[in-house]
Amino acid sequence: MDTAAHWDDIRTQLAALDDGAALETPVSGRRFTIRSIEDDRLVIEFFDSGEDRTLRREQFDVLVDRLESNPIRVETLQPGVEPYVTVLTLTSHIVIDGDDIVFDPAAETAGESPFLVSPAEARTAPDRLHDDVLLLAEHLHRFDVSEPDELTTTDLTDCYVISSDVQRGSDRLRTTFRDELLDRLGPDQRLHGRFGTITRATRERRSLRDEATVFDALDAHDIPHEWVRGIDPTKVDVVLSVTDLEPDEVYDRSESVYVQKTGVDEDEKYEFLAGIRDRLTELEGKEGDELRDELTDIESRIEAALGAG
């Protein structure tokens, strides 16, 4: 394949990517998206920094020429070369073989790449939380969750998984907000927002100093060591391992049962959300007016509650 045909292949594969898809560099793992596809260059944007970078056609030509002669080890890629290689792996004849990038004329892998990230996986953490909240709101609207025993097992499972994802995502985001606010809050300062007020708080946690220090302090006050001596669980476990002593003779044991989330199908969630967005976009006439009136009513009630407080 000549350089012109390979460049056309690059542009064709990039133009065919799904909206929201991203690419990832092989070594540093930096995700980026394609901002523009031009006659002699590509413009990409890195997610982590918002930085734009230009990838030029002639540099692709140099890499393809090298690959047609010899493979390139993935681990030797320099940061500036990584995005070029990522893009090249979308084309028909350049593939990853073990730890090498190789030119394989027999390969027909156009549009496939180990560094291609689906739209569902490419979302940022705030994007995921936004979508999960929207998905949870849709389920709360569709089902009567005040009567969980009337839900099917599938719907109940979905509600649990989505609720768990919302909780996890909001906790992470809340931590980000907290860290930034701590930089802005003085010791006795209060900050007021539209929905509430915050202040700096301090929680004290205590841990015992080493045994010698504790015993010296006791001796200074004529307190017997026996008053603070307890049974060391580690020593008990050693005894259990080398004797006939049974755990139930020295331990009170309790068992709790809980539901553990073991998997999330992000692609399925993303596809379902796309359908919700399409329906919202298409809402016109009476149904659309009713939804807008409902949102206005919610905002009014919030304003009234804030005013009353």
Side-chain angles (χ1 to χ4, degrees), residues 44-62:
I44 67 173
E45 179 182 355
F46 286 104
F47 282 22
D48 57 5
S49 64
E51 166 199 1
D52 285 352
R53 185 174 300 178
T54 299
L55 307 183
R56 301 187 181 279
R57 172 180 173 174
E58 57 265 26
Q59 297 301 107
F60 282 107
D61 292 342
V62 170

Side-chain angles (χ1 to χ4, degrees), residues 101-294:
I101 308 108
V102 301
F103 180 82
D104 182 358
E108 293 294 340
T109 56
E112 302 174 15
S113 171
F115 311 121
L116 177 61
V117 184
S118 72
E121 293 296 329
R123 293 170 297 165
T124 64
D127 289 338
R128 287 174 182 269
L129 178 58
H130 171 275
D131 289 347
D132 285 339
V133 169
L134 179 59
L135 197 55
L136 180 60
E138 196 275 343
H139 277 62
L140 293 177
H141 176 74
R142 188 149 56 98
F143 302 123
D144 182 5
V145 296
S146 64
E147 301 291 343
D149 57 320
E150 296 185 3
L151 295 176
T152 68
T153 302
T154 298
D155 293 336
L156 193 60
T157 299
D158 285 342
C159 287
Y160 181 86
V161 169
I162 298 167
S163 300
S164 174
D165 288 346
V166 169
Q167 179 187 33
R168 180 185 60 183
S170 61
D171 280 346
R172 290 177 178 173
L173 196 59
R174 183 175 64 89
T175 298
T176 302
F177 296 152
R178 179 204 64 194
D179 292 343
E180 178 61 30
L181 283 167
L182 284 175
D183 291 337
R184 305 185 188 188
L185 268 170
D188 300 314
Q189 185 181 8
R190 290 180 179 270
L191 295 181
H192 303 278
R194 181 182 177 188
F195 303 117
T197 302
I198 62 170
T199 187
R200 180 186 290 268
T202 301
R203 182 186 296 112
E204 183 179 280
R205 290 186 175 90
R206 299 188 305 171
S207 60
L208 281 175
R209 296 180 180 179
D210 64 272
E211 186 177 272
T213 301
V214 172
F215 285 163
D216 286 345
L218 294 177
D219 291 341
H221 294 274
D222 296 324
I223 299 173
H225 294 185
E226 288 72 17
W227 286 14
V228 298
R229 278 202 175 109
I231 297 175
D232 185 343
T234 303
K235 295 178 182 178
V236 173
D237 287 344
V238 171
V239 173
L240 287 170
S241 300
V242 298
T243 69
D244 294 331
L245 185 66
E246 294 294 331
D248 289 341
E249 296 181 68
V250 291
Y251 280 119
D252 288 325
R253 298 194 296 180
S254 62
E255 184 178 86
S256 61
V257 179
Y258 62 97
V259 175
Q260 181 180 25
K261 181 183 66 179
T262 59
V264 178
D265 192 332
E266 292 291 346
D267 289 326
E268 181 67 22
K269 285 166 57 178
Y270 189 82
E271 183 177 343
F272 192 89
L273 282 163
I276 295 175
R277 294 191 190 97
D278 290 342
R279 292 199 300 274
L280 291 175
T281 301
E282 293 169 359
L283 280 179
E284 295 179 357
K286 182 180 179 180
E287 189 177 3
D289 291 339
E290 288 177 352
L291 177 60
R292 282 183 283 274
D293 290 344
E294 182 179 352

Side-chain angles (χ1 to χ4, degrees), residues 16-23 32-34 47 116-122 270:
L17 292 178
D18 294 333
D19 290 341
L23 296 165
F32 63 90
T33 187
I34 306 298
F47 282 22
L116 177 61
V117 184
S118 72
E121 293 296 329
Y270 189 82

